[in-house]
Structures are given as structure tokens and as C-alpha cells.
């Protein structure tokens, strides 16, 4: 960050001396990344309260998390649209408040200068190894250039299809994950992508000794399911069918118009019901691309269940929200928690972060159980714990 304010400082403050943490976003010019970067700048400048950030609650007061104003942003993206333009578009779509892009323009410009070309793009002839080497070099240079204590890589790119059976190639998400391992960076997969779960990366992930978390951020429909599923189960109410529909716009809606990408997304939604109910009820989740919705989404669920003496009942829910505004604080939370886990010497899947994911790598599937695991993590992260 340049201009008249030292890098890492906000106007009117002394230069920062505490260690800084890198946030390397895959899909760095997308809606979620832009909202996270602009939002972090707004919070550190005192322009808005930290609504939606669990890490800003008293629970984590003693966990020694990296401060929000210590975060330095960069990333990979295949888009060339500057963050300032993306932020203006998000204002027009009602995602960011009017005037915010101008207020945090310097921060957006500084982050945009740290975004490097992603890939592979159409016609890219580089091998997997060459791509991983290039991405890892970008990460290493970013960390060194800003004298960062560590850099956390967070995948917030569009949903990709799962590899076809027998296809051993690394999909883009796994190329980025391999680069994170190569560069010694903790990895967070906020998407349902293959990422670190590719079989070819299993040994490298274990040997790296790095903490990681994923996958697929839980922001709306599945968040409700992780609460309602245990309710039916613990009250011994028999769920006969659970159907849902998602109406999405923006880049996510376009990406999920691909049936293979939608199948990857729905797998986590269905798994939550199977694990919290103990069975898989009838019904499916449908995802419809509605471009006019932009970054807003509507999720509808219809639950048919049996009560005492076979009485048949129905629960219907409607969730309407802004996907980027729901996801951005979770990205900031996960970055801070994973960075602190790395500093504390934790390795492998970080127990307690399942609270944030549809398809967590460890721990319970129900939200109350996940919350208790997160509370335990907060205590483990305290210095001297």
C-alpha cells in the first residue's frame, strides 16, 4: 500500500511493527474476494462494524489471531478487470455500500497490483509442473516482498467440476493447492473443488506439516440444513422428503449452470442431511442460473416429515441473501484462524473449522457440534495453551 501512508498502516496511525500475514486469494478479482478485501479495509478504518466476523467476538479475544490491519492481499485470477472496477460493479448490484470503493481505493489498488495471472487458460501449453512452479514462485515472491510472517492461500474461485473417473490430471484447484504446498503456505478451500483432496497430493500434504481447511463455505441453505437436520433427528421426527431449489446469479450462477459443477456443489448439501439425519431422505436440490439476480441468491427448502401417530407435516424455509456479503467475513475468519494455527504448530486438517464448511475435513456435521469444536479451537490457539 502506497501513497502517504506506510504499508500496512491506516491513515492517522504509526507504521505497523507487528508481523504481517499474507492472504493469497485464488479468484482474487471475483465478487467474494473483492468484498473481502474492501470489507477488511473498511473495518480497519472504522467505517463499519465487524458484523459477521466470529473472530472479532470475545471468544477469540485471547487467541492471538493476526489483526485485520496486518493482512496483506494478493492472488491469482484469469480476469483482467481491476478490483476498483469490480468494486464499482458490486456497488451497482447492492453488494457494497455506496461510497465504499472510493473510501478504500488505495487498498483496492494495492491489492490489485499483487494479483498475478492464473490458469491454465485456453491454449496454455505449460505442463502441470510448470504451472505449479509458476504459481509457487508468485507466492514465494509475494511473501518475501512484503516481509510476511506467513501467507495463507484461500480458494474462492468459481466452482469446478470434479475430475471424471480415471482422469488423473490435476484440475486447476489442485494445481493451486500443490503450489501452496510447494511454497509452504497453509491452504483453505472455500469451494467444493478437488483442491488438496486429489489423491496425487495426499502424501505431499502430509509431509508438508501445514494446516489446511475445507471445503465449500457454508453460507446459506446448507447452514440452515445443518441446524434443522439435528432438530428433526433429536426430536425423533421422521423426515420423508427434503427438496430444495437455489436461484443464483453472477459468476456462481453461471458456473453452476454446468451440470458437473452443480453436482460437485450439491454433494456437500446432501452429505449434511445424510450425516445429521442418519439417512438420506427423498428429494433433490436444483440450482438455476438467474443472471438478473447478480450476487444475490434465493434458496427454498420443502421438508415433509411425520409426527406422532403418523400425522403428516411440512416445513418450508426461504433464505434470501447476498452471497458475497455472507462469504467475505468467513474468508477473513478462516484466514486468521488458519494463520494462527500455522503459528501454533498445528498440522493437517484443523479441527474446529468444520463450522464454516458444507463438507468439512474433520469433526461433526451439525452446527451445534461444530460450534463446540470451534470453541475448543479458540482455547487451543491461546498462547501457552
Amino acid at each position: 500500500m502506497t501513497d502517504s501512508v506506510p504499508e500496512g498502516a491506516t491513515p492517522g496511525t504509526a507504521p505497523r511493527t507487528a508481523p504481517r500475514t499474507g492472504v493469497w486469494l485464488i479468484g482474487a478479482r471475483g465478487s467474494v474476494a473483492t468484498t473481502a478485501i474492501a470489507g477488511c479495509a473498511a473495518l480497519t478504518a472504522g467505517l463499519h462494524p465487524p458484523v459477521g466476523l466470529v473472530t472479532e467476538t470475545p471468544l477469540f479475544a485471547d487467541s492471538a489471531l493476526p489483526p485485520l490491519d496486518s493482512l496483506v492481499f494478493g492472488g491469482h485470477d484469469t480476469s483482467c478487470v481491476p478490483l476498483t472496477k469490480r468494486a464499482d460493479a458490486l456497488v451497482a448490484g447492492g453488494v457494497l455500500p455506496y461510497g465504499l470503493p472510493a473510501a478504500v481505493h488505495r487498498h483496492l489498488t494495492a491489492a490489485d497490483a499483487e494479483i498475478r495471472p492464473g490458469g491454465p487458460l485456453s491454449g496454455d501449453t505449460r505442463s502441470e509442473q510448470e504451472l505449479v512452479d509458476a504459481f509457487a514462485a508468485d507466492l514465494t515472491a509475494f511473501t518475501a516482498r512484503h516481509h510476511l510472517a506467513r501467507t495463507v492461500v484461500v480458494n474462492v474461485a468459481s466452482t469446478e467440476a470434479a475430475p471424471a473417473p480415471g482422469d488423473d490430471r490435476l484440475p486447476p484447484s489442485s494445481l493451486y493447492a500443490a503450489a501452496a504446498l510447494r511454497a509452504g503456505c497453509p491452504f483453505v478451500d472455500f469451494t467444493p473443488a478437488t483442491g488438496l483432496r486429489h489423491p496425487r497430493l495426499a502424501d505431499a500434504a502430509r509431509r508438508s506439516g501445514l494446516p489446511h481447511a475445507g471445503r465449500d463455505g457454508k453460507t446459506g441453505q446448507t447452514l440452515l440444513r445443518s441446524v434443522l437436520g439435528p432438530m428433526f433427528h433429536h426430536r425423533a421426527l421422521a423426515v420423508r422428503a427434503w427438496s430444495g431449489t437455489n436461484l443464483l446469479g453472477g459468476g456462481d450462477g453461471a458456473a453452476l449452470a454446468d451440470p458437473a459443477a452443480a453436482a460437485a456443489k450439491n454433494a456437500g448439501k446432501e452429505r449434511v442431511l445424510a450425516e445429521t439425519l442418519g439417512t438420506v431422505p427423498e428429494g433433490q436440490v436444483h440450482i438455476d442460473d438467474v443472471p438478473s439476480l447478480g450476487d444475490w441468491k434465493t434458496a427454498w427448502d420443502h421438508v415433509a416429515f411425520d409426527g406422532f401417530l403418523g400425522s403428516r407435516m411440512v416445513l418450508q424455509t426461504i433464505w434470501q441473501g447476498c452471497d458475497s456479503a455472507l462469504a467475505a467475513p468467513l474468508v477473513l475468519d478462516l484466514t486468521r484462524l488458519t494463520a494462527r494455527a500455522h503459528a501454533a504448530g498445528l498440522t493437517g486438517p484443523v479441527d474446529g473449522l468444520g463450522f464454516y464448511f458444507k463438507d468439512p475435513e474433520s469433526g461433526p456435521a451439525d452446527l451445534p457440534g461444530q460450534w463446540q469444536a470451534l470453541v475448543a479451537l479458540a482455547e487451543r490457539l491461546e498462547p501457552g495453551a
Side-chain angles (χ1 to χ4, degrees), residues 264-324:
K265 188 78 170 178
N266 284 336
K269 294 176 181 288
E270 294 167 357
R271 192 172 295 110
V272 167
L273 293 183
E275 293 183 2
T276 57
L277 294 174
T279 184
V280 180
E282 296 177 2
Q284 296 179 329
V285 175
H286 298 276
I287 299 177
D288 295 331
D289 178 23
V290 185
S292 63
L293 286 176
D295 280 276
W296 296 78
K297 67 180 180 182
T298 297
W300 171 74
D301 271 84
H302 178 96
V303 187
F305 64 99
D306 290 341
F308 190 54
L309 303 180
S311 56
R312 295 203 158 188
M313 293 176 272
V314 167
L315 170 69
Q316 292 185 343
T317 66
I318 297 176
W319 177 286
Q320 294 178 308
C322 174
D323 209 33
S324 299

Side-chain angles (χ1 to χ4, degrees), residues 209-300:
L210 294 167
H212 53 86
R215 65 185 173 175
D216 201 3
K218 184 164 55 184
T219 59
Q221 185 180 47
T222 311
L223 180 63
L224 279 178
R225 288 180 168 209
S226 66
V227 174
L228 295 175
M231 177 195 74
F232 287 109
H233 177 71
H234 294 314
R235 291 296 297 269
L237 298 170
V239 175
R240 291 183 290 109
W242 198 315
S243 301
T245 295
N246 278 261
L247 307 179
L248 299 169
D252 210 22
L256 293 172
D258 176 2
K265 188 78 170 178
N266 284 336
K269 294 176 181 288
E270 294 167 357
R271 192 172 295 110
V272 167
L273 293 183
E275 293 183 2
T276 57
L277 294 174
T279 184
V280 180
E282 296 177 2
Q284 296 179 329
V285 175
H286 298 276
I287 299 177
D288 295 331
D289 178 23
V290 185
S292 63
L293 286 176
D295 280 276
W296 296 78
K297 67 180 180 182
T298 297
W300 171 74

